[in-house]
Amino acid sequence: MRHKLIILVFSVLFLFIFPSTVAAVTVTINSFPSTVSSTDPFQVEVSVTGATNATNYLRVDLYKEGTSNYFGETYNGSDWYNGSDGKSYFPIQIQNASASATISAQLGNPSINDYTGPGAYKLKIRRYTSSGSVSSNDTQTPVDIQFTYTLPTPTPTATPTSTPNPTSTPTPTPTKTPTSTPVPTPTKTPTPKPTISSTPTDSPTPEVLSAATFEPDPTATEEPILEEKSVNTSKPPIFAFVLIGAGVVLICVSIIYTIKHAKKNSPTI
C-alpha cells in the first residue's frame, strides 16, 4: 500500500513537470487536378484534423519546387484574394477537432519570377488560426500539379520622362536703325513765256496781274493787250508789222512836236 502511494505521487509530479505533447494538426489534400491548362478556377478538396474547435482559414499555395515564391489566388466566398491578411481567406469551422472543405483556386496574375512558364509545380494548403496567424506546425504532404499555360508576353510601356522646363532667356530687343529719308529733288517749274494775242480784249483776264493802269490815248490807235502767258515763236503776222509802224510814226510825231514846242517857248536873243 505504501509503495502504491509513492508511485501515484511520482506520477502526478511527472504530469506537472512533463506535460503531454499536443498532437500536431494534419492537413490532407484529398482531390486536385493533376493538370491545369488555363487561368480558369480549379477545385481542391481538403480535410483538417487535430485542430482546436474554432474558425480557421485556408489558403492554396502554388510554387516551384525548391523555392518559396508562392503565387495563386484563393476564393474566399465573395472575392479572389492573395494578400497577407489571414482572415481574408476561405473560412472553415473546426468541430470535434476536424473539418473538411472544397476550395476554389486559380493561377491569377503571377510575376515571371513566380511562374516561369509551363512545367511541374507544387500545391499545398496554408492554414491560418482564428486570430489570423499562420500555423507553421501543420503536417501535410504537398502534391504535384502540372501547368501548361503560357502567360502572355507583357507589352513594354514607355515611361514618360519629365522634361525640365527650360529657363526662359530674355530676347534682346533689336535696335532700330534709323532709315535715311531721301531728300526730295525740287521740281523745276518752267517759267511761263508771254504770248502775243492777236485779238484785243476789253478787260484783263484773271490770270494776268498788271503793275499799273494806263489811260487810253484818244489819238493813239488801240493796241492789242499782250498776254504774258506764252510767246508765240511762230512768224509774226502782217498786223504786227502795221502796229510797229504806227508806233514808230507816233514816236516821230511826238519828237517833232516836242522840238517845235521847245523853240516856240525859248526866249529870243
Tab-separated table of all heavy atoms in Angstrom, residues 29-64:
chain	number	residue	atom	x	y	z
A	29	ILE	N	-4.662	16.865	-48.507
A	29	ILE	CA	-5.263	17.236	-49.797
A	29	ILE	C	-5.847	15.970	-50.397
A	29	ILE	O	-5.128	15.027	-50.773
A	29	ILE	CB	-4.211	17.866	-50.735
A	29	ILE	CG1	-3.627	19.138	-50.096
A	29	ILE	CG2	-4.831	18.202	-52.086
A	29	ILE	CD1	-2.470	19.742	-50.862
A	30	ASN	N	-7.146	15.907	-50.487
A	30	ASN	CA	-7.828	14.694	-50.941
A	30	ASN	C	-8.049	14.648	-52.447
A	30	ASN	O	-8.032	13.560	-53.052
A	30	ASN	CB	-9.172	14.563	-50.228
A	30	ASN	CG	-9.011	14.481	-48.717
A	30	ASN	OD1	-8.114	13.783	-48.229
A	30	ASN	ND2	-9.847	15.201	-47.985
A	31	SER	N	-8.281	15.791	-53.068
A	31	SER	CA	-8.563	15.807	-54.508
A	31	SER	C	-8.055	17.114	-55.104
A	31	SER	O	-8.192	18.184	-54.489
A	31	SER	CB	-10.056	15.649	-54.758
A	31	SER	OG	-10.343	15.733	-56.143
A	32	PHE	N	-7.503	17.038	-56.323
A	32	PHE	CA	-6.985	18.210	-57.030
A	32	PHE	C	-6.782	17.834	-58.489
A	32	PHE	O	-6.629	16.639	-58.805
A	32	PHE	CB	-5.664	18.691	-56.400
A	32	PHE	CG	-4.539	17.722	-56.564
A	32	PHE	CD1	-3.628	17.859	-57.592
A	32	PHE	CD2	-4.406	16.627	-55.704
A	32	PHE	CE1	-2.597	16.955	-57.758
A	32	PHE	CE2	-3.385	15.713	-55.859
A	32	PHE	CZ	-2.475	15.884	-56.884
A	33	PRO	N	-6.760	18.792	-59.416
A	33	PRO	CA	-6.486	18.476	-60.824
A	33	PRO	C	-4.983	18.273	-61.017
A	33	PRO	O	-4.158	19.035	-60.505
A	33	PRO	CB	-6.990	19.710	-61.582
A	33	PRO	CG	-6.890	20.813	-60.598
A	33	PRO	CD	-7.140	20.213	-59.240
A	34	SER	N	-4.639	17.244	-61.750
A	34	SER	CA	-3.218	16.974	-61.980
A	34	SER	C	-2.620	17.914	-63.023
A	34	SER	O	-1.411	18.146	-63.042
A	34	SER	CB	-3.018	15.517	-62.413
A	34	SER	OG	-3.755	15.258	-63.608
A	35	THR	N	-3.492	18.450	-63.910
A	35	THR	CA	-3.013	19.354	-64.965
A	35	THR	C	-3.956	20.549	-65.062
A	35	THR	O	-5.181	20.387	-65.068
A	35	THR	CB	-2.955	18.646	-66.328
A	35	THR	OG1	-2.107	17.489	-66.216
A	35	THR	CG2	-2.403	19.576	-67.406
A	36	VAL	N	-3.351	21.723	-65.154
A	36	VAL	CA	-4.114	22.965	-65.337
A	36	VAL	C	-3.591	23.625	-66.600
A	36	VAL	O	-2.384	23.882	-66.720
A	36	VAL	CB	-3.971	23.906	-64.123
A	36	VAL	CG1	-4.694	25.225	-64.373
A	36	VAL	CG2	-4.493	23.231	-62.861
A	37	SER	N	-4.515	23.900	-67.548
A	37	SER	CA	-4.084	24.424	-68.847
A	37	SER	C	-4.541	25.852	-69.107
A	37	SER	O	-4.359	26.362	-70.219
A	37	SER	CB	-4.600	23.514	-69.967
A	37	SER	OG	-6.026	23.446	-69.928
A	38	SER	N	-5.161	26.507	-68.137
A	38	SER	CA	-5.635	27.875	-68.354
A	38	SER	C	-5.652	28.603	-67.015
A	38	SER	O	-5.256	28.052	-65.979
A	38	SER	CB	-7.034	27.870	-68.969
A	38	SER	OG	-7.971	27.330	-68.057
A	39	THR	N	-6.141	29.818	-67.070
A	39	THR	CA	-6.267	30.604	-65.834
A	39	THR	C	-7.636	30.424	-65.185
A	39	THR	O	-7.962	31.150	-64.249
A	39	THR	CB	-6.041	32.099	-66.144
A	39	THR	OG1	-6.976	32.520	-67.144
A	39	THR	CG2	-4.620	32.357	-66.626
A	40	ASP	N	-8.422	29.465	-65.684
A	40	ASP	CA	-9.742	29.229	-65.102
A	40	ASP	C	-9.607	28.620	-63.711
A	40	ASP	O	-8.620	27.927	-63.397
A	40	ASP	CB	-10.554	28.285	-65.991
A	40	ASP	CG	-10.868	28.901	-67.345
A	40	ASP	OD1	-10.868	30.149	-67.439
A	40	ASP	OD2	-11.098	28.121	-68.303
A	41	PRO	N	-10.587	28.844	-62.822
A	41	PRO	CA	-10.521	28.290	-61.458
A	41	PRO	C	-10.562	26.759	-61.471
A	41	PRO	O	-11.129	26.133	-62.355
A	41	PRO	CB	-11.770	28.868	-60.789
A	41	PRO	CG	-12.131	30.075	-61.593
A	41	PRO	CD	-11.753	29.731	-62.996
A	42	PHE	N	-9.954	26.170	-60.466
A	42	PHE	CA	-9.999	24.724	-60.249
A	42	PHE	C	-10.260	24.471	-58.761
A	42	PHE	O	-10.049	25.353	-57.918
A	42	PHE	CB	-8.700	24.047	-60.721
A	42	PHE	CG	-7.465	24.585	-60.072
A	42	PHE	CD1	-6.967	24.021	-58.887
A	42	PHE	CD2	-6.762	25.646	-60.639
A	42	PHE	CE1	-5.814	24.507	-58.289
A	42	PHE	CE2	-5.616	26.136	-60.047
A	42	PHE	CZ	-5.139	25.570	-58.870
A	43	GLN	N	-10.752	23.249	-58.407
A	43	GLN	CA	-11.153	22.935	-57.033
A	43	GLN	C	-10.152	21.983	-56.360
A	43	GLN	O	-9.585	21.091	-57.012
A	43	GLN	CB	-12.543	22.286	-57.014
A	43	GLN	CG	-13.688	23.275	-57.093
A	43	GLN	CD	-13.797	23.920	-58.470
A	43	GLN	OE1	-13.699	23.226	-59.475
A	43	GLN	NE2	-13.996	25.231	-58.508
A	44	VAL	N	-9.991	22.236	-55.066
A	44	VAL	CA	-9.131	21.407	-54.231
A	44	VAL	C	-9.940	20.995	-52.997
A	44	VAL	O	-10.466	21.866	-52.293
A	44	VAL	CB	-7.843	22.154	-53.813
A	44	VAL	CG1	-6.974	21.253	-52.935
A	44	VAL	CG2	-7.071	22.631	-55.029
A	45	GLU	N	-10.035	19.648	-52.733
A	45	GLU	CA	-10.735	19.143	-51.556
A	45	GLU	C	-9.725	18.899	-50.439
A	45	GLU	O	-8.699	18.239	-50.645
A	45	GLU	CB	-11.469	17.833	-51.879
A	45	GLU	CG	-12.609	18.023	-52.871
A	45	GLU	CD	-13.345	16.717	-53.143
A	45	GLU	OE1	-13.001	15.695	-52.495
A	45	GLU	OE2	-14.253	16.710	-53.994
A	46	VAL	N	-10.037	19.463	-49.235
A	46	VAL	CA	-9.097	19.456	-48.118
A	46	VAL	C	-9.808	18.969	-46.859
A	46	VAL	O	-10.998	19.250	-46.652
A	46	VAL	CB	-8.526	20.876	-47.883
A	46	VAL	CG1	-7.506	20.864	-46.756
A	46	VAL	CG2	-7.911	21.414	-49.154
A	47	SER	N	-9.059	18.260	-46.006
A	47	SER	CA	-9.560	17.883	-44.677
A	47	SER	C	-8.526	18.278	-43.633
A	47	SER	O	-7.317	18.193	-43.874
A	47	SER	CB	-9.842	16.368	-44.602
A	47	SER	OG	-8.665	15.628	-44.831
A	48	VAL	N	-9.033	18.743	-42.472
A	48	VAL	CA	-8.176	19.185	-41.371
A	48	VAL	C	-8.547	18.375	-40.132
A	48	VAL	O	-9.728	18.273	-39.776
A	48	VAL	CB	-8.346	20.691	-41.106
A	48	VAL	CG1	-7.464	21.132	-39.936
A	48	VAL	CG2	-8.005	21.493	-42.354
A	49	THR	N	-7.530	17.823	-39.446
A	49	THR	CA	-7.763	17.068	-38.217
A	49	THR	C	-6.787	17.509	-37.136
A	49	THR	O	-5.654	17.928	-37.437
A	49	THR	CB	-7.577	15.554	-38.450
A	49	THR	OG1	-6.261	15.298	-38.939
A	49	THR	CG2	-8.620	15.019	-39.425
A	50	GLY	N	-7.239	17.428	-35.889
A	50	GLY	CA	-6.385	17.743	-34.745
A	50	GLY	C	-6.370	19.213	-34.381
A	50	GLY	O	-5.612	19.627	-33.492
A	51	ALA	N	-7.176	20.037	-35.002
A	51	ALA	CA	-7.182	21.472	-34.712
A	51	ALA	C	-8.174	21.788	-33.599
A	51	ALA	O	-9.128	21.038	-33.357
A	51	ALA	CB	-7.522	22.263	-35.963
A	52	THR	N	-7.964	22.898	-32.915
A	52	THR	CA	-8.868	23.347	-31.869
A	52	THR	C	-10.169	23.833	-32.498
A	52	THR	O	-10.169	24.445	-33.580
A	52	THR	CB	-8.213	24.480	-31.063
A	52	THR	OG1	-6.958	24.015	-30.554
A	52	THR	CG2	-9.087	24.917	-29.912
A	53	ASN	N	-11.247	23.565	-31.799
A	53	ASN	CA	-12.543	23.998	-32.327
A	53	ASN	C	-12.593	25.526	-32.416
A	53	ASN	O	-12.595	26.218	-31.388
A	53	ASN	CB	-13.679	23.490	-31.448
A	53	ASN	CG	-13.799	21.980	-31.469
A	53	ASN	OD1	-13.293	21.341	-32.388
A	53	ASN	ND2	-14.473	21.411	-30.483
A	54	ALA	N	-12.640	26.043	-33.629
A	54	ALA	CA	-12.697	27.489	-33.882
A	54	ALA	C	-12.801	27.687	-35.393
A	54	ALA	O	-12.785	26.728	-36.174
A	54	ALA	CB	-11.483	28.203	-33.313
A	55	THR	N	-12.890	28.923	-35.788
A	55	THR	CA	-12.903	29.236	-37.224
A	55	THR	C	-11.462	29.333	-37.704
A	55	THR	O	-10.662	30.116	-37.170
A	55	THR	CB	-13.636	30.558	-37.506
A	55	THR	OG1	-14.983	30.453	-37.035
A	55	THR	CG2	-13.642	30.872	-38.996
A	56	ASN	N	-11.110	28.536	-38.693
A	56	ASN	CA	-9.804	28.597	-39.336
A	56	ASN	C	-9.976	29.102	-40.773
A	56	ASN	O	-11.099	29.171	-41.298
A	56	ASN	CB	-9.128	27.232	-39.337
A	56	ASN	CG	-8.574	26.853	-37.958
A	56	ASN	OD1	-7.853	25.880	-37.803
A	56	ASN	ND2	-8.913	27.603	-36.915
A	57	TYR	N	-8.842	29.427	-41.384
A	57	TYR	CA	-8.863	29.973	-42.753
A	57	TYR	C	-7.830	29.218	-43.573
A	57	TYR	O	-6.684	29.018	-43.134
A	57	TYR	CB	-8.559	31.476	-42.738
A	57	TYR	CG	-9.492	32.259	-41.842
A	57	TYR	CD1	-9.160	32.487	-40.503
A	57	TYR	CD2	-10.702	32.757	-42.313
A	57	TYR	CE1	-10.022	33.206	-39.670
A	57	TYR	CE2	-11.568	33.457	-41.484
A	57	TYR	CZ	-11.222	33.674	-40.166
A	57	TYR	OH	-12.078	34.362	-39.333
A	58	LEU	N	-8.212	28.831	-44.791
A	58	LEU	CA	-7.348	28.030	-45.654
A	58	LEU	C	-6.972	28.801	-46.920
A	58	LEU	O	-7.797	29.485	-47.512
A	58	LEU	CB	-8.040	26.717	-46.038
A	58	LEU	CG	-8.465	25.817	-44.871
A	58	LEU	CD1	-9.114	24.539	-45.410
A	58	LEU	CD2	-7.303	25.494	-43.960
A	59	ARG	N	-5.718	28.604	-47.303
A	59	ARG	CA	-5.173	29.292	-48.488
A	59	ARG	C	-4.461	28.257	-49.361
A	59	ARG	O	-3.714	27.412	-48.870
A	59	ARG	CB	-4.183	30.382	-48.054
A	59	ARG	CG	-3.383	31.013	-49.178
A	59	ARG	CD	-2.399	32.022	-48.610
A	59	ARG	NE	-1.610	32.662	-49.649
A	59	ARG	CZ	-0.710	33.614	-49.421
A	59	ARG	NH1	-0.489	34.033	-48.167
A	59	ARG	NH2	-0.029	34.133	-50.423
A	60	VAL	N	-4.664	28.341	-50.679
A	60	VAL	CA	-3.986	27.461	-51.630
A	60	VAL	C	-2.687	28.121	-52.061
A	60	VAL	O	-2.691	29.256	-52.561
A	60	VAL	CB	-4.879	27.172	-52.853
A	60	VAL	CG1	-4.121	26.319	-53.873
A	60	VAL	CG2	-6.151	26.471	-52.422
A	61	ASP	N	-1.564	27.408	-51.873
A	61	ASP	CA	-0.251	27.912	-52.270
A	61	ASP	C	0.261	27.114	-53.459
A	61	ASP	O	0.276	25.866	-53.437
A	61	ASP	CB	0.749	27.784	-51.117
A	61	ASP	CG	0.622	28.918	-50.117
A	61	ASP	OD1	0.070	29.974	-50.489
A	61	ASP	OD2	1.060	28.743	-48.959
A	62	LEU	N	0.696	27.832	-54.519
A	62	LEU	CA	1.354	27.230	-55.671
A	62	LEU	C	2.788	27.741	-55.699
A	62	LEU	O	3.036	28.933	-55.471
A	62	LEU	CB	0.628	27.597	-56.970
A	62	LEU	CG	-0.854	27.213	-57.053
A	62	LEU	CD1	-1.500	27.823	-58.288
A	62	LEU	CD2	-1.026	25.697	-57.056
A	63	TYR	N	3.733	26.863	-56.012
A	63	TYR	CA	5.123	27.287	-56.015
A	63	TYR	C	5.960	26.288	-56.795
A	63	TYR	O	5.565	25.146	-57.025
A	63	TYR	CB	5.660	27.438	-54.585
A	63	TYR	CG	5.655	26.165	-53.776
A	63	TYR	CD1	6.803	25.389	-53.632
A	63	TYR	CD2	4.492	25.724	-53.148
A	63	TYR	CE1	6.805	24.208	-52.880
A	63	TYR	CE2	4.475	24.555	-52.394
A	63	TYR	CZ	5.637	23.805	-52.275
A	63	TYR	OH	5.612	22.641	-51.533
A	64	LYS	N	7.119	26.753	-57.196
A	64	LYS	CA	8.084	25.894	-57.878
A	64	LYS	C	8.889	25.155	-56.820
A	64	LYS	O	9.294	25.734	-55.819
A	64	LYS	CB	9.001	26.749	-58.770
A	64	LYS	CG	9.816	25.960	-59.788
A	64	LYS	CD	8.955	25.522	-60.944
A	64	LYS	CE	9.799	24.900	-62.039
A	64	LYS	NZ	8.989	24.418	-63.170
